[in-house]
Structures are given as structure tokens and as C-alpha cells.
Amino acid sequence: MAAQDDETEPDPVTLVATCRTSGCPSQDQPFVGTYYANAEPPLYRGLCMGCGQPISDLATPLSGPVS
């Protein structure tokens, strides 16, 4: 979530993003990145730099998907 004026900014998290868009040059290639929480769901969002589509497959490096 975004911080309000009187709150501290949430810490970023490291996530693995994998684009699943058919035909994308980056399809099925995992990329590690730093993500910041959003005020609105989904909590974390990614955008594929190969095809420009939103990435819905975000996971922590040692666990499962993140909502």
C-alpha cells in the first residue's frame, strides 16, 4: 500500500516475474525485480518489457505466487 503523509513508505520486495503471453520474446523466462506495494489490488504489478503486457505471474524467489 502507498504511504500516507504521516506513514513511512513500505519496504520494497524482491519478486520473480514470468511473462506467460503467447509469442512474447520473453515468454516463460523468469526475471528478478524489485517491486513496491500498490494502494489498489493487485498488491504488486509487473509489466513485461518484451511485449508490454501485464505480468500476473509474480512469485517470491523461494515460495509461490503473490497476490
Side-chain angles (χ1 to χ4, degrees):
M1 297 175 141
Q4 301 297 322
D5 291 337
D6 59 344
E7 297 176 355
T8 59
E9 184 74 23
D11 290 332
V13 296
T14 300
L15 298 174
V16 178
T18 307
C19 182
R20 303 291 185 201
T21 303
S22 179
C24 175
S26 301
Q27 182 179 2
D28 299 326
Q29 296 178 21
F31 293 93
V32 177
T34 302
Y35 292 82
Y36 294 84
N38 292 293
E40 300 290 325
L43 184 57
Y44 298 104
R45 300 175 191 164
L47 183 68
C48 179
M49 298 307 288
C51 67
Q53 294 299 308
I55 296 177
S56 59
D57 187 350
L58 292 171
T60 57
L62 298 176
S63 71
V66 177
S67 55

